[in-house]
């Protein structure tokens, strides 16, 4: 059952094109100053994290995304791939460095002009100019278009006046704000000549050289949070703070000295989304960082599960190893398969990110694909990380709850990832809108015959429902999807068809449900959309699940080594069938899966998990992490030593004459002795029987 695998070869597949950058990012974990000690106070933790940001700058990774004339290489994915691996050192470091280099520096890079680059960018990416990314407000989080902070242009002074008009307009949860930032990229409503041109970004100094807030800027400390103790989040408010006209990051909107506004993008809505689209790096990196955290958790839990023993099953001395139990396999093996799928999908996301921002393929289609995947993958992977880490914590029992074993710390730190860079639910709505938009475009180009075939198929399906044939064991999929004629539930064609068909049915159903909105008032259309919001989000999640399954399927087909190809197939099938089992009610309800095949899911997954468990150590070794990255006592081999010590003790003790007898053994021995005496007495009576009979006859 166990395959002959080379973890390093699998690691090459997982780390992919940017393997060197990933390993470089992991090196930060070798510096103990980057590790977060739960016993440290707030100030100590923040200071250590800031030191880690400096070490990150020293690697040169933040500079590689800059153009060659500024000392960079125009390699954007290299930067992100290395940066997301800093989770191995500390999630606080990953987030604080992300604010500094990805958000603050990234905003200057993508929204500013060459003069602004020269003035601020290199210092930002070298960690000399510490900054914040001031977008979110108390009253508006994910709804960036509605932020209330204003930037009103004064043509006489040629300055913008930055103002917080009321308390709910205060910038909130701003990383680096409470302690370290000297400047901020502030998102505000740009007003000039009495016209509001929507949200734009401005470079605004917030502290002087001594670290004190500049006049008109007030800063509050968010202090303790549920996690990420090393990140100094805070609130920033502005009381008519003036900055020069040149501080407007003007790639997508500029104001002349006289106050005339101009933009290369005429539509305000399209301009806004284009500006935000340039900042997609944050979502890409959170997707990758969540996968890294999930890998660490699984690495710890699997190593512990292979050593920790619990309950005697076949021996009085040797207990059963946790990972030999079927349910333990079902807890961890599907999680490993999901993390592999997510890691390989992330590699595709990084490829799109590199193509768009390097300029090798900056087409509208590729940019839309990048934004859709980044939003969807970020949502799915951040939720996955929370589920995986929690499962790993529980799988390690009480030991998993100890801070020294990292799992509870990882869970707390990753919690807020689900709302960073856009709340996951909001992001999935964005994904859903894009999918429906693509569907509408595709349907618009169908010829009359194609539309007729589509309508005919829909009508035929409704007929099956009405006649009850679907409930009589004949699945609609058997009628309309030839791929499902394969009887084996592990069939890749079957998995793909079920995942694709589910998405297609959800898309077409939503499209039909929302079609009346085009003829409704704005209020009625909004109400109709709200009534379909849950289906919208489920459709987006179905899209992400399909994309991740396809990434794992593609990787499986690329493997040349037989055993490596086989383990990738096991991973693919485990991930695919887990998704089908998760949504089995939908597949049955819509007649996509016959009951007979649905019953095969549990048994098949049990077998797959057992096979994967045989190579569990190889699969987590392939993540490429060492003790310094895991930093969990239970994953160092200490448990195996404890188990060996216990077994040796009992083996030696049982050999001694004075070893106490267990009560149940004593009772068992007494019962056996009594039974033996009873049999012996019976035999004696039987021997005297004939003589007694003879005497009675006389």
């Amino acid at each position: 059952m166990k395959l002959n695998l080379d973890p390093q070869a699998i690691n090459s597949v997982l780390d992919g094109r940017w393997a060197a950058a990933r390993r470089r990012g992991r090196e930060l974990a070798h510096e103990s100053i980057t590790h977060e000690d739960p016993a440290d106070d707030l100030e100590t933790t923040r200071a250590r994290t800031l030191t880690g940001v400096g070490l990150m700058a020293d690697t040169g990774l933040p500079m590689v995304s800059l153009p060659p004339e500024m000392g960079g290489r125009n390699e954007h994915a290299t930067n992100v791939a290395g940066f997301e691996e800093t989770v191995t050192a500390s999630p606080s470091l990953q987030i604080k460095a992300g604010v500094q280099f990805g958000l603050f520096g990234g905003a200057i890079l993508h929204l500013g002009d060459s003069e602004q680059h020269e003035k601020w960018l290199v210092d930002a990416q070298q960690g000399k100019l510490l900054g914040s990314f001031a977008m979110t407000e108390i009253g508006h989080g994910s709804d960036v278009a509605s932020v209330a902070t204003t930037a009103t242009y004064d043509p006489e002074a040629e300055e913008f006046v930055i103002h917080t008009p009321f308390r709910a307009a205060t910038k909130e949860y701003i990383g680096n704000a409470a302690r370290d930032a000297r400047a901020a990229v502030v998102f505000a409503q740009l007003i000039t000549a009495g016209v509001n041109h929507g949200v734009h970004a401005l470079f605004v100094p917030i502290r002087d050289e001594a670290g004190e807030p500049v006049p008109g800027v007030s800063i509050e400390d968010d202090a303790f949070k549920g996690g990420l103790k090393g990140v100094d989040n805070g609130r920033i408010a502005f009381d008519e703070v003036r900055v020069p006209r040149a501080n407007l990051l003007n790639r997508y909107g500029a104001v002349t000295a006289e106050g005339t506004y101009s933009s290369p993008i005429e539509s305000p809505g399209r301009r806004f989304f284009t500006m935000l689209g340039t900042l997609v790096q944050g979502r890409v990196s959170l997707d990758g960082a969540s996968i890294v955290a999930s890998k660490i958790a699984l690495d710890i839990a699997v190593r512990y599960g292979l050593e920790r023993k619990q309950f005697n099953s076949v021996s009085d001395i040797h207990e059963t190893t946790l990972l030999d139990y079927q349910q333990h396999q079902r807890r961890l093996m599907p999680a490993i398969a999901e993390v592999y799928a997510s890691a390989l999908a992330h590699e595709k996301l990084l490829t799109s990110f590199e193509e768009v921002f390097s300029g090798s393929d900056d087409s509208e289609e590729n940019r839309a694909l990048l934004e859709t995947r980044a939003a969807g993958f970020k949502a799915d992977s951040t939720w996955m990380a929370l589920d995986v880490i929690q499962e790993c914590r529980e799988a390690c029992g009480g030991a998993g709850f100890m801070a020294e074993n990292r799992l509870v710390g990882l869970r707390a730190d990753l919690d807020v990832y689900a709302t960073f860079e856009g709340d996951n639910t909001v992001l999935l709505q964005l994904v859903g809108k894009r999918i429906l938009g693509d569907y509408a475009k595709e349907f618009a180009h169908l010829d009359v015959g194609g539309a007729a075939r589509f309508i005919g198929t829909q009508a035929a399906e409704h007929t099956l429902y009405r006649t009850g044939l679907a409930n009589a064991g004949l699945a609609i999929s058997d009628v309309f999807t030839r791929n499902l004629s394969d009887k084996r539930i592990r069939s890749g064609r079957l998995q793909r068809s079920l995942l694709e068909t589910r998405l297609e049915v959800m898309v077409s159903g939503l499209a039909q449900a929302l079609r009346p909105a085009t003829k409704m008032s704005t209020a009625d259309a909004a109400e109709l959309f709200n009534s379909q919001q849950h289906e919208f989000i489920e459709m987006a999640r179905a899209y992400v699940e399909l994309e991740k399954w396809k990434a794992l399927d593609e990787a499986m087909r690329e493997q040349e080594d037989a055993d490596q190809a086989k383990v990738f197939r096991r991973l693919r099938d485990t991930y695919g069938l887990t998704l089908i089992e998760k949504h089995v009610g939908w597949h049955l309800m819509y007649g996509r899966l016959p009951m007979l095949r649905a019953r095969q899911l549990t048994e098949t997954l049990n077998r797959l998990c057992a096979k994967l468990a045989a190579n569990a150590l190889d699969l987590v070794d392939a993540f490429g992490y060492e003790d310094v990255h895991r930093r969990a006592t239970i994953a160092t081999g200490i448990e195996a030593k404890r188990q060996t010590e216990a077994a040796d003790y009992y083996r030696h003790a049982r050999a001694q004459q004075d070893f106490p007898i267990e009560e149940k053994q004593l009772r068992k021995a007494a019962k056996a002795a009594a039974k033996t005496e009873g049999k012996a007495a019976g035999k004696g009576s039987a021997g005297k029987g004939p003589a007694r009979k003879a005497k009675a006859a006389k």
Side-chain angles (χ1 to χ4, degrees), residues 46 57 66 85 155 228 236 244 335 379 381 434 437-438 461 584 606 633 691:
R46 287 176 171 182
L66 302 189
E85 291 287 341
L228 298 177
I236 309 175
S381 295
R434 290 249 167 91
D438 290 344
E461 291 194 8
V584 69
N606 287 343
T633 304

Side-chain angles (χ1 to χ4, degrees), residues 526-596:
E527 184 177 348
L528 176 61
F529 178 83
N530 189 52
S531 71
Q532 300 294 321
Q533 190 174 34
H534 177 71
E535 287 75 10
F536 223 75
I537 291 167
E538 288 302 303
M539 176 190 70
R541 298 197 76 169
Y543 164 79
V544 175
E545 290 167 352
L546 174 61
E547 288 297 302
K548 289 189 173 184
W549 183 90
K550 289 194 307 189
L552 190 46
D553 181 61
E554 290 167 11
M556 178 203 76
R557 297 177 189 282
E558 292 169 357
Q559 305 311 306
E560 296 180 357
D561 178 82
D563 277 3
Q564 192 158 307
K566 187 173 288 187
V567 81
F568 269 86
R569 187 182 180 210
R570 290 174 180 175
L571 288 165
R572 182 206 67 178
D573 293 349
T574 300
Y575 179 60
L577 296 183
T578 299
L579 291 176
I580 294 166
E581 183 182 56
K582 175 183 175 183
H583 304 301
V584 69
W586 187 96
H587 293 293
L588 291 172
M589 183 170 62
Y590 280 82
R592 300 290 157 176
L593 188 66
M595 191 69 73
L596 182 63

